[in-house]
Amino acid sequence: MQKEKTLMPIQLPEERIHNFDEVALGYTFELALQEANRCLNCPNKPCVKGCPVNIDIPSFICSLKKGNIDEAYETILKSSSLPAICGRVCPQEKQCESKCTLGIKFEPVAIGRLERFVADNHKKDYTKSNSISPTKKKKVAVIGSGPSGLACAYDLAKENYDVTIFEALHEAGGVLVYGIPEFRLPKTIVKKEIEGLKKLGVKIETNVVIGKTLTIDDLKVMGFEAFFIGTGAGLPNFMNISGETFNGVYSANEFLTRSNLLKSYLKDSITPIRSDGVVAVIGGGNVAMDAARTAKRLGAKEVYIIYRRSKDELPARKEEVEHAIEEGIIFKFLSTPIKILGDDNFSVNSIELINMELGEPDEKGRRRPIPIPNSNHILNVDTVVMAVGTSPNPIIKDCIKDLEVNRHGCLIVDENNLTSVEGVYAGGDIVSGAATVISAMGMGKIAAKSIHEYLKNK
Amino acid sequence: MYKILSKKYLNPTVVEMKISAPLIANKALPGQFVILRVNKEGERIPLTIAGVDKALGLVKIIFQIVGATTLLLSKKECGDCIQDFVGPLGKPSNLDHLKKVCVIGGGVGCAIALPIVEYLHQIGANVTSISGFRNKDLVILEEEFISNSNRHILMTDDGSVGRLGNVTIPLKELLEKETFDEVIAIGPLVMMKYVTLTTKPFNIPVTVSMNPIMIDGTGMCGGCRLSLIKNNERIIKFACVDGPDFNGYEVDFDEAIKRNKIYLEKEKHEYEKTCNLFKTR
């Protein structure tokens, strides 16, 4: 019995900090088989319950054990529309793998790596749907082309609805293209998913900001009868400390958008990005890891992650933290900035930090960080990236009357992902606040089902 | 892809183009802007909407060639396409309540002031417009300003046409004799700062139009953030969703001037690179 997960071939740290190529290279068939054979195929399937979209994991692994990759892929597709993406970015250690029976005594089955293998290596083209008739059903508008919108559009297209996705940016994909770096999620994979959607007849209109270029009322006049809002949590949070407007202080959204979407990571890119010298990334989530590892690759001499709690409380995906450590990112735990300082050119040159200790848990159960008096110290830096969370972008809620939001600006929905306005559904970060790709996808799928029910009876 | 349907030079470095973008033409209001990319590898830049033709679905942009992207854009001809064009972004200017206004445009800022002057004239407001340029070769939109204003004053730094001096000179003279509901200033940051300082003793509201570096234009990156000082407190606003118009008395102009310079080196480099591209063709 193999106690540990079969090792994933990866680029070595010394090499990969100089490129933006994917770090995890993927299992070969032999390695995938080896890992699949660790699965005990337990009858109560605890891993399925751990998956936000309840993929029948033991079943796909069984198909894989038999060498039937296409069959495995078909099983995953029944529950998930983005397996190549989720296999790479899901925090499996908190989801399926955390429930794995094998994981009680040993390392769990590497379910994520197997999902990725199946997604990358299936042969059959599932983007053609022979059952779709040329005359389409009613028109549905999907607002936002991130994981939630893509998943919703996919399921609706399979039901033969006439779907158009409206995207504010010039490229579809949402966080998948602007947020997650190339070395974690190659954009060719995202493009492939999007091309698949187009083959199913989904139209994608980029450069359209719903609420500005077109309103919901305009869409109704254009014949759309149901709406899905998947506009995400794209409003960056700042700490509101002194010096946050100095040159060289970025929100993680801006830093990553410059690098990922506008390709600043390419040598001859016209879009500038400042990432040399010492870079301090404030935050401990996936976005902070992405920003820090991007800064390293862009040539930063030293990169710090400054996080106010300790290592155990880091919310980032385990593999990202491990890879960041391997890449030489310096972690400063129990520390937070209280002031940003700059030079006469209005450029950041240092940050004043204070140390923290962990107190009683807050209402979410996370131990509250408490500042330690007189522990102030200065860290000299050249660039600061604020990765302290994002909030829902307010443009869409300002354009729909009676759309109810909670105090964080998140849209309120019922168990069918229906908002307070008839015919308007929502999912993803606009509902939950910043969360995962898979939870966004899950909501997109529920909403698609609800929209189908709604339009059937209209 | 968005087609260029007309192109002309208003002066050696200022170009006017009309782009086919019916959805934007239909919705745009004075004060709003677009973000565009010239080609697939390009950066995203904001440009104010200088006017629209709803019937033909055209959006007019007027821009100065200041960097690589505006240079690339200026080399496109009628019939060419630009890669991306999104809008209308930003909050429209708040103009309906104004009865007597002084609108001041500095340099290419006059192109941004024009839709405001036109709108005010259309709603029957009394408009005094002042436009300022470095010299007579750079003067643009004179006829349009004259025909949309009750009174128009042209200033040049060297006196080669109009009056000699900067825009705050006639502004002060006017403020000493009469009152206005509002002073609207659009142009270089330094100009807007001094218009604000000049107007301050007269207790008249000043609206300025901020033009920071922008990436997405929809509030997702914070790159365009600026500081407003209200009651001694510093508040951060995003120019792309909270602006681009702001209360001149609250804006920290010195900070905005410094923030605009963050990529100066890189911008110079890219501009030279692009210039060379055209030399070798």
Side-chain angles (χ1 to χ4, degrees), chain A residues 108-246:
Chain A
V109 172
I111 300 169
R113 292 173 184 173
L114 292 177
E115 179 182 24
R116 177 206 162 141
F117 173 80
V118 167
D120 286 353
N121 292 285
H122 73 275
K123 291 279 183 290
K124 196 162 148 201
D125 185 355
Y126 292 93
T127 55
K128 291 193 208 77
S129 189
N130 301 318
S131 61
I132 289 182
S133 81
T135 6
K136 292 211 169 283
K137 294 199 281 218
K138 296 178 176 177
K139 284 172 80 161
V140 181
V142 170
I143 303 164
S145 65
S148 207
L150 293 177
C152 186
Y154 182 82
D155 283 2
L156 287 170
K158 286 245 138 164
E159 284 294 332
N160 205 29
Y161 285 98
D162 186 349
V163 182
T164 303
I165 302 179
F166 294 96
E167 168 55 49
L169 291 173
H170 60 265
E171 208 178 300
V175 275
L176 304 174
V177 292
Y178 78 73
I180 305 179
E182 183 71 18
F183 55 81
R184 267 222 289 150
L185 178 63
K187 302 312 153 210
T188 44
I189 294 182
V190 182
K191 282 200 169 73
K192 200 164 157 217
E193 298 294 339
I194 289 167
E195 287 312 309
L197 270 178
K198 288 182 182 165
K199 281 197 204 151
L200 286 173
V202 173
K203 298 185 245 342
I204 302 182
E205 302 285 348
T206 53
N207 295 318
V208 176
V209 183
I210 300 298
K212 295 276 182 193
T213 318
L214 288 169
T215 60
I216 296 282
D217 288 335
D218 289 330
L219 294 177
K220 285 183 182 159
V221 166
M222 288 160 74
F224 290 96
E225 297 190 54
F227 307 87
F228 176 77
I229 300 174
T231 48
L235 190 72
N237 293 345
F238 282 96
M239 288 182 76
N240 290 316
I241 54 177
S242 149
E244 249 173 339
T245 47
F246 278 128

Side-chain angles (χ1 to χ4, degrees), chain A residues 65 109 119 141 161 240 257 278 315 339 390:
Chain A
K65 283 177 188 172
V109 172
Y161 285 98
N240 290 316
T257 297
V278 178
K339 207 194 262 181
T390 54

